[in-house]
Amino acid sequence: MGTEERRRGIVETARRDGSVDVNRLAEEFRVAKETIRRDLHILEEHGLVRRTHGGAYPV
């Protein structure tokens, strides 16, 4: 799975569930928690999610 596909999945999950958790996403996408944190940072810069302690929610 590529970076863009993973980020798209993160946004879709956040919209579907109302929020996402870094630990759960790392397990689901089989990547490091740091990778998910970087993804959330980029998605927040693009105005797609708002980061929280340990996760994010859709904007």
Side-chain angles (χ1 to χ4, degrees):
M1 172 179 288
T3 303
E4 292 303 317
E5 188 178 353
R6 184 180 61 246
R7 289 177 181 166
R8 196 173 310 117
I10 291 170
V11 173
E12 288 172 4
T13 301
R15 289 179 177 161
R16 182 185 68 233
D17 298 347
S19 66
V20 290
D21 176 73
V22 169
N23 294 322
R24 194 175 69 205
L25 289 172
E27 288 178 16
E28 180 180 336
F29 292 109
R30 294 182 175 92
V31 297
K33 290 184 266 187
E34 292 77 14
T35 300
I36 297 297
R37 289 185 189 107
R38 281 192 298 271
D39 288 342
L40 292 175
H41 177 77
I42 296 297
L43 293 170
E44 185 176 47
E45 285 182 343
H46 286 89
L48 298 170
V49 300
R50 178 70 42 100
R51 292 173 65 198
T52 62
H53 181 74
Y57 60 89
V59 175

